[in-house]
Amino acid sequence: IALIFATALFLVSAIATRQLVANSHRLSTLDIPNERSSHLTPTPRGGGLSFVATSIVGFLLLTLNSTIDRADLLALCCAGIIVAIAGHLDDRQKISGATIRLGFHALGAIILIVGIGFPSQISLFDRTIDTGIIGSILGVLYLVWLLNLFNFMDGTDGIAAIEAIFVCIAGAILNYHVLSDINFSAPSIILATSTFGFLLYNWAPAKIFMGDIGSGYLGIAIGGLSLVAAKQQHELLWVWIILLGVFVSDATVTLIRRLLQKQKPHVAHRSHAYQHLAIRFGSHAKVSLLVLAVNVVWLLPIAFLVADKQLSGTTGVVVAYVPLLLTVLALGAGKDSATN
């Protein structure tokens, strides 16, 4: 039954994305290339609507399963819808200014923290500390950053969808390894299969982009899924953070370097490490496949060691992130292509 359900979500998402491509003149806005774009031809955006709608329907159907806390799933849906609406309005240029967007993002994050919660205890190397209100505040910041970094990293065909699918599938597997209950992996599988249907049309050369409606939603949804996992076993939060290593490293280094250069972080640019690689390779597909390879070969084994309690969560994060941070620095993350 689970396999049939996942296949159905994949097919619905793929069909919906195809319809968005076919009717892009009515249902989508065109992303016109400029000097900061990575694409060369006008391409419809807003295709994330397909996996947003499909996965939310999947989450709502999952509330019929009494094993999973319905409040968690409803919080996930509410936060996702709020962030998706903000993204849709942004794609349609109906809202302007980073402050308004940030308000929507913060509201979605707060709903998740209130609805699901941040782990009351968390391990830091060999110590376990109580998080309290500080944990909730850090949780909101974590979620807001996660949804924005997906937006920042969605600049090459297929890369954001590939990242989301990997994190969700790997997270689902490791959730099951730790919790021995497939039900706690179901929401992650729903998001992965829904996104996979979209990826068929987003793979290079992309026929449609997910837009802010899709990238922001993926960020907040994956953040919510990590909290659902951590609610059952707090060490799983580190597992999910490790799985997100490529995106977190590139986006964080790029943001810090641009802020130090007194550049506006929300202004479009092509200075991420993955964008430098796309220019160097002359291929979007190669960059997306390289990200997938790093995820599978480097991050997944480390995340497994943490899930299997062979490595502490924070030690795993350090081991996973240090080489990634050094790599994106070496690739010129945060530097304009002309100065790299």
Side-chain angles (χ1 to χ4, degrees):
I1 293 175
L3 181 60
I4 294 173
F5 184 45
T7 303
L9 291 174
F10 162 73
L11 292 174
V12 169
S13 178
I15 292 169
T17 306
R18 182 177 180 179
Q19 288 303 309
L20 287 171
V21 173
N23 297 280
S24 59
H25 59 289
R26 292 189 296 109
L27 302 176
S28 306
T29 55
L30 282 179
D31 197 319
I32 308 299
N34 56 45
E35 68 276 4
R36 296 187 180 276
S37 301
S38 296
H39 60 292
L40 300 176
T41 58
T43 305
R45 67 182 177 206
L49 176 62
S50 61
F51 60 76
V52 169
T54 305
S55 59
I56 285 176
V57 169
F59 294 150
L60 290 174
L61 289 174
L62 205 58
T63 61
L64 301 175
N65 184 336
S66 58
T67 303
I68 304 174
D69 191 333
R70 290 184 179 88
D72 292 353
L73 293 170
L74 291 176
L76 194 60
C77 291
C78 289
I81 289 171
I82 288 171
V83 171
I85 288 173
H88 175 69
L89 292 174
D90 200 20
D91 287 334
R92 294 280 181 172
Q93 298 180 330
K94 299 294 184 183
I95 58 175
S96 60
T99 304
I100 298 175
R101 290 196 299 271
L102 194 60
F104 278 100
H105 297 168
L107 178 58
I110 290 169
I111 288 173
L112 284 183
I113 294 298
V114 172
I116 299 173
F118 192 80
S120 58
Q121 290 186 323
I122 198 164
S123 60
L124 288 176
F125 297 103
D126 59 347
R127 298 181 60 188
T128 299
I129 62 171
D130 296 324
T131 56
I133 188 65
I134 299 299
S136 297
I137 294 171
L138 291 175
V140 170
L141 295 175
Y142 161 69
L143 292 169
V144 170
W145 176 226
L146 200 55
L147 73 90
N148 277 283
L149 74 84
F150 260 88
N151 177 261
F152 296 156
M153 295 293 289
D154 179 34
T156 298
D157 296 351
I159 193 170
I162 278 282
E163 176 77 357
I165 293 167
F166 163 77
V167 171
C168 287
I169 291 177
I173 293 170
L174 296 177
N175 282 357
Y176 180 72
H177 178 73
V178 173
L179 304 173
S180 301
D181 188 341
I182 193 65
N183 289 294
F184 292 112
S185 298
S188 302
I189 297 300
I190 285 172
L191 185 58
T193 52
S194 298
T195 306
F196 191 34
F198 165 80
L199 180 61
L200 296 181
Y201 298 90
N202 183 238
W203 189 251
K207 296 179 178 64
I208 193 167
F209 299 148
M210 65 175 65
D212 287 357
I213 184 177
S215 58
Y217 174 81
L218 285 180
I220 198 74
I222 289 174
L225 291 173
S226 71
L227 292 180
V228 171
K231 187 174 182 178
Q232 303 302 316
Q233 167 55 257
H234 64 81
E235 199 75 356
L236 281 171
L237 180 61
W238 296 122
V239 169
W240 282 72
I241 289 173
I242 290 169
L243 295 174
L244 287 159
V246 171
F247 268 32
V248 174
S249 298
D250 194 350
T252 303
V253 169
T254 299
L255 177 66
I256 292 172
R257 185 171 263 170
R258 285 178 61 79
L259 288 174
L260 291 174
Q261 295 169 353
K262 297 181 179 180
Q263 296 175 325
K264 295 180 180 179
H266 60 279
V267 174
H269 60 90
R270 286 202 299 173
S271 62
H272 285 281
Y274 76 89
Q275 291 171 317
H276 291 313
L277 280 176
I279 294 170
R280 186 177 303 178
F281 292 164
S283 168
H284 289 205
K286 287 180 181 179
V287 175
S288 295
L289 289 173
L290 178 61
V291 168
L292 180 60
V294 171
N295 285 338
V296 173
V297 175
W298 178 245
L299 296 177
L300 182 55
I302 297 172
F304 172 78
L305 291 176
V306 173
D308 203 43
K309 297 182 179 179
Q310 298 184 48
L311 199 64
S312 74
T314 37
T315 301
V317 169
V318 171
V319 171
Y321 272 68
V322 168
L324 293 178
L325 292 170
L326 292 174
T327 299
V328 297
L329 280 169
L331 289 171
K335 294 182 178 180
D336 290 333
S337 298
T339 61
N340 182 30

